Amino acid sequence: SLKQAIITAIQDVEKNQNIEVAVVEPADFVTIAEIARRADRSREYIRKLINGERGPGDFPTPIAGTSTKTLIYSWVDVSTWLTHQRIITNQNTHRIAFIIKRVNDRLDIRRNPWRTDVPIHLLEEIKAIKHNQMG
């Protein structure tokens, strides 16, 4: 499987090179230009999808950059949406993106584990916010 191949590659690199792998590429954070490149479309086409000038108008929301010119999106969210809209025809694109993101999430946790002095109650507060928004 892809997941096992990535894990084996990480283990091999770390064992043989005496380094710690920080991230597996391609990463999840993408700009409009990177979305266009990965989807093999023009930036203008992607911009029109985002603005609702093309497609159904429910393009995934950016995850960062709303106060700057450069919006950042999750490739997992975008590739799933593009696949559902049949803009990306390779059915494995979003599955691969999801696997790489999950591996990168675990690598991030490995690099930045929760310390005992971090207020864990913040996680509960975040869960409560999300629950209140949904219900």
Side-chain angles (χ1 to χ4, degrees):
S1 72
L2 175 62
K3 177 182 161 189
Q4 191 56 48
I6 292 171
I7 291 169
T8 300
I10 291 169
Q11 290 169 338
D12 289 347
V13 166
E14 292 184 343
K15 177 177 59 177
N16 295 325
Q17 302 297 322
N18 197 26
I19 59 174
E20 182 177 276
V21 173
V23 67
V24 174
E25 292 287 341
D28 187 53
F29 299 137
V30 290
T31 62
I32 293 171
E34 183 62 13
I35 293 168
R37 188 190 69 73
R38 291 186 190 187
D40 196 27
R41 297 288 193 269
S42 71
R43 279 185 274 176
E44 182 62 13
Y45 180 84
I46 299 302
R47 186 194 66 74
K48 286 182 177 184
L49 287 173
I50 291 168
N51 292 336
E53 297 168 30
R54 293 191 94 145
D58 59 347
F59 196 85
T61 57
I63 58 174
T66 56
S67 62
T68 66
K69 281 182 107 176
T70 304
L71 298 175
I72 306 296
Y73 294 85
S74 164
W75 179 241
V76 169
D77 295 345
V78 171
S79 64
T80 300
W81 188 89
L82 292 171
T83 301
H84 286 130
Q85 302 308 315
R86 294 187 172 91
I87 295 166
I88 291 179
T89 57
N90 182 342
Q91 296 295 314
N92 287 320
T93 300
H94 66 281
R95 186 180 72 78
I96 292 167
F98 178 80
I99 291 168
I100 291 172
K101 182 179 183 327
R102 295 297 290 207
V103 169
N104 283 333
D105 288 346
R106 295 299 301 157
L107 290 171
D108 185 51
I109 290 168
R110 182 177 76 169
R111 275 190 340 273
N112 303 296
W114 286 99
R115 299 183 323 233
T116 57
D117 62 337
V118 174
I120 300 298
H121 68 277
L122 291 177
L123 294 176
E124 294 303 320
E125 291 174 17
I126 292 170
K127 285 181 190 175
I129 291 168
K130 188 172 184 178
H131 179 71
N132 289 338
Q133 288 175 346
M134 296 173 72

